[in-house]
Amino acid sequence: MDVENDTAYDNSDRENETDNSSSDDPHSDYEEEQFSSSDIVPFSVKKKVVDLSRAHPKWSLNTLKKHCSALKSDRQLRLWKSQVDEGQSSLRESFAAISDYTYNQFKMARAARRPVTNRNIRQWAIEAVETLANRKNFRFSASQSWVDDFKRKRRIRQRKVTRYLKSKNELDEAEISKRWTNFVSATRQAMSDYDPDFILNTDQTGCEYRFKVDRTLSERGEKCTEVFLGDFNKVTHSYTAQYCITASGKLLPKVFLCMQEAGGVFGPRVQIKVNDLVERYGNVYVTASKSGKLTKNHVELFSEHIIAPYVQENRFLLILDSWGGQTNEDLFDPYFADENGEPSCAIAVIPPLCTKYCQPCDVTFFRQVKQILKKMQNCEVLFKERRELTSREDSIKLHSIVHHQLSSPSFTNLIKYAWSTPGYTDDRIFFSTVNEVCFPEDVFRQKCCVGNCEKCAFIRCARCYKCVCFTCFYDAFHPESCT
């Protein structure tokens, strides 16, 4: 660490001298400076004390100490005089100034959401030297040891980036907070005119055919931690799942899946297979696009096949994010009308950049969806059997299972909580998560309850509460026999 011994804080050689100050002295109203033993004494304060001592040469040390508690000895006063004459601060003060300048630059960079590295810190520290008064023989190289010590003292750690911002507008947190607060307040007032069963929120979530694994247990000190994920194409290619939840804690009867296909449509053979799966599972609707993402045409399909069968002729409120493909009310009017032929759908569009704060699906629900998907894809049975759940058919089956589990009454409160968190409702909701209901810690100690199967259980069904092994749950498709 580039630090030199600073003798400016030598507390030895204290002297007791008589106080020759008088109450009518023009400097007697000088503001007293209070410092603890660990404080850095600013150069400006040193200069004031030195000026006082020179203006009143007969003042004792005790009198000067009344004006600056950091002054401890005549030796220290002589050092301050030398520093003032040379126009220089102490080493300790100089290093403190460098640290403060560097930290201020760090805070400004992070406030602007800029990435910061050790190299940036060293560059800022070198820049800080230029802001100091000229000092003879001042040596400072911003070494790595100084950087490590700086980060330790300022509680700075290297952290994984959890979210990338796409727009500079996202930096104005006060304005964004005002927007989503106003939206929730206005929507909450509008919700009073609707039955909670017909207050809907829908959103899309991207799903990889094979979810990435960001962390794993491994040996301490391991220099290279590698994970085998099989066909990496499945990690980089994705499809879209769209769920719809209600303010009453329900999940609409079907989940909408848009798979990625080169031509944007399924081939004849694939279409037959997909149709068979859709008919068998009953709670999925499957379509395709070139990118696996939704377009306006898919929004119309979602309205026709997912929302319309549920709401029928009832008036309902639909809360959507600001994606341009779904904010036009004309897309919904042909599918939703009351008994008099009047439009029955009211749209509330979440302001841009506010989705993560007031989109119920994003706040809580999708995290639970992906918990089940990851648990299924990383099951120990698949590892032993050298299997992967990465095909189109597997993805459809997985979401059918996810929908079957999350539509259970066990998760009604969890869905309600997604509405109370942004402030749409005032309910104090106590709920259980997917890990608590389906994957409790003791589930592995249970035996499979299906037939004569004696394998270790993998999951506890959220509907029938039976502990079931992976083979009986996934391969035999437990939802068909669940009671």
Side-chain angles (χ1 to χ4, degrees):
M1 178 174 168
D2 301 344
V3 180
E4 301 177 19
N5 292 329
D6 187 0
T7 58
Y9 285 81
D10 189 344
N11 297 331
S12 61
D13 299 326
R14 297 190 180 183
E15 298 180 5
N16 295 321
E17 300 182 10
T18 58
D19 187 353
N20 297 323
S21 63
S22 60
S23 59
D24 58 348
D25 187 88
H27 293 277
S28 60
D29 60 348
Y30 179 82
E31 182 179 357
E32 181 179 352
E33 300 284 352
Q34 296 292 334
F35 295 91
S36 68
S37 60
S38 61
D39 284 340
I40 304 297
V41 182
F43 183 78
S44 59
V45 173
K46 294 179 182 179
K47 187 175 186 305
K48 289 180 181 180
V49 174
V50 169
D51 290 344
L52 274 176
S53 69
R54 288 173 174 170
H56 302 278
K58 295 185 178 181
W59 277 14
S60 68
L61 181 66
N62 288 336
T63 302
L64 290 174
K65 286 165 66 176
K66 292 179 181 179
H67 297 287
C68 181
S69 61
L71 181 62
K72 303 300 180 184
S73 67
D74 283 331
R75 182 182 179 184
Q76 190 177 43
L77 179 59
R78 290 194 298 271
L79 179 61
W80 286 7
K81 287 180 179 179
S82 175
Q83 292 173 354
V84 168
D85 291 340
E86 295 180 4
Q88 301 173 27
S89 58
S90 69
L91 281 175
R92 190 176 181 186
E93 184 179 351
S94 297
F95 283 118
I98 292 172
S99 180
D100 289 343
Y101 177 90
T102 304
Y103 186 57
N104 288 334
Q105 294 297 313
F106 168 80
K107 288 196 295 185
M108 287 191 292
R110 289 305 301 132
R113 303 299 192 274
R114 287 170 46 200
V116 178
T117 64
N118 286 353
R119 184 180 181 85
N120 296 135
I121 291 177
R122 297 184 68 180
Q123 288 173 331
W124 291 328
I126 295 299
E127 288 176 8
V129 176
E130 303 300 323
T131 67
L132 301 176
N134 292 331
R135 180 181 179 85
K136 296 179 181 178
N137 300 323
F138 182 73
R139 300 185 301 275
F140 179 76
S141 61
S143 66
Q144 186 59 48
S145 61
W146 180 89
V147 172
D148 293 340
D149 190 59
F150 169 81
K151 292 192 296 183
R152 179 181 59 79
K153 290 180 178 178
R154 299 290 185 170
R155 299 175 63 85
I156 296 171
R157 300 289 186 272
Q158 188 177 58
R159 303 189 66 85
K160 179 181 177 181
V161 176
T162 56
R163 181 168 174 258
Y164 294 99
L165 304 182
K166 300 178 182 178
S167 168
K168 289 184 179 180
N169 294 331
E170 294 185 64
L171 301 179
D172 193 350
E173 295 182 359
E175 176 61 27
I176 293 174
S177 178
K178 181 180 178 181
R179 282 187 200 170
W180 77 258
T181 302
N182 291 340
F183 173 79
V184 169
S185 178
T187 304
R188 177 172 173 160
Q189 187 174 359
M191 288 169 60
S192 61
D193 296 332
Y194 296 88
D195 186 310
D197 280 343
F198 297 103
I199 301 173
L200 314 181
N201 173 236
T202 183
D203 194 21
Q204 308 153 19
T205 182
C207 300
E208 293 81 15
Y209 287 94
R210 174 65 167 98
F211 278 92
K212 291 187 293 185
V213 178
D214 294 324
R215 294 180 180 275
T216 180
L217 296 178
S218 193
E219 295 286 348
R220 182 176 179 179
E222 184 178 64
K223 293 184 178 179
C224 181
T225 302
E226 299 175 332
V227 173
F228 177 75
L229 291 178
D231 185 359
F232 205 72
N233 246 355
K234 301 298 183 178
V235 178
T236 57
H237 287 65
S238 63
Y239 59 94
T240 301
Q242 184 164 4
Y243 288 78
C244 190
I245 61 177
T246 73
S248 60
K250 296 179 180 178
L251 193 57
L252 262 61
K254 290 186 178 182
V255 55
F256 187 86
L257 300 179
C258 182
M259 315 307 290
Q260 186 177 14
E261 294 293 323
V265 294
F266 296 122
R269 293 183 181 179
V270 175
Q271 185 67 65
I272 293 173
K273 196 168 187 178
V274 168
N275 290 342
D276 290 342
L277 293 174
V278 168
E279 184 177 356
R280 178 187 176 187
Y281 301 145
N283 60 353
V284 292
Y285 181 89
V286 184
T287 185
S289 70
K290 288 183 179 180
S291 63
K293 302 183 185 302
L294 271 60
T295 64
K296 289 183 179 180
N297 292 335
H298 294 102
V299 174
E300 293 178 351
L301 288 174
F302 180 81
S303 300
E304 179 182 1
H305 296 280
I306 307 297
I307 299 181
Y310 173 79
V311 299
Q312 299 180 6
E313 295 180 352
N314 293 285
R315 293 176 60 252
F316 70 100
L317 176 65
L318 180 59
I319 300 175
L320 304 169
D321 61 28
S322 57
W323 174 54
Q326 62 185 9
T327 54
N328 187 349
E329 293 188 8
D330 293 340
L331 292 173
F332 302 94
D333 288 344
Y335 305 100
F336 309 112
D338 59 20
E339 55 188 8
N340 298 320
E342 296 294 328
S344 59
C345 177
I347 305 293
V349 179
I350 297 172
L353 309 178
C354 298
T355 300
K356 68 175 181 178
Y357 301 106
C358 50
Q359 174 88 283
C361 281
D362 276 350
V363 170
T364 301
F365 182 74
F366 283 147
R367 187 181 301 117
Q368 306 304 314
V369 170
K370 294 188 177 181
Q371 278 288 345
I372 300 178
L373 294 175
K374 289 179 180 179
K375 288 283 197 304
M376 299 289 289
Q377 287 189 338
N378 293 314
C379 177
E380 175 67 13
V381 172
L382 297 177
F383 172 74
K384 290 181 178 178
E385 297 179 358
R386 298 176 180 264
R387 290 173 55 193
E388 295 178 16
L389 304 183
T390 57
S391 69
R392 181 193 305 106
E393 293 74 17
D394 284 324
S395 299
I396 296 172
K397 188 175 185 178
L398 283 169
H399 278 280
S400 176
I401 289 173
V402 169
H403 186 280
H404 174 264
Q405 293 296 295
L406 291 178
S407 58
S408 160
S410 301
F411 296 113
T412 296
N413 282 350
L414 183 145
I415 297 175
K416 286 183 178 180
Y417 177 78
W419 292 85
S420 66
T421 299
Y424 293 112
T425 64
D426 287 330
D427 300 335
R428 292 188 63 187
I429 305 296
F430 298 94
F431 65 93
S432 298
T433 65
V434 161
N435 283 337
E436 293 168 337
V437 176
C438 298
F439 303 100
E441 292 185 1
D442 63 343
V443 70
F444 297 114
R445 292 195 286 269
Q446 308 298 321
K447 296 297 182 180
C448 180
C449 298
V450 177
N452 296 321
C453 182
E454 289 295 323
K455 294 180 181 178
C456 290
F458 164 72
I459 187 173
R460 184 174 67 184
C461 177
R463 286 183 171 272
C464 65
Y465 295 103
K466 293 180 179 179
C467 293
V468 187
C469 70
F470 182 85
T471 302
C472 294
F473 187 80
Y474 181 80
D475 295 337
F477 195 61
H478 174 74
E480 286 183 331
S481 58
C482 182
T483 56

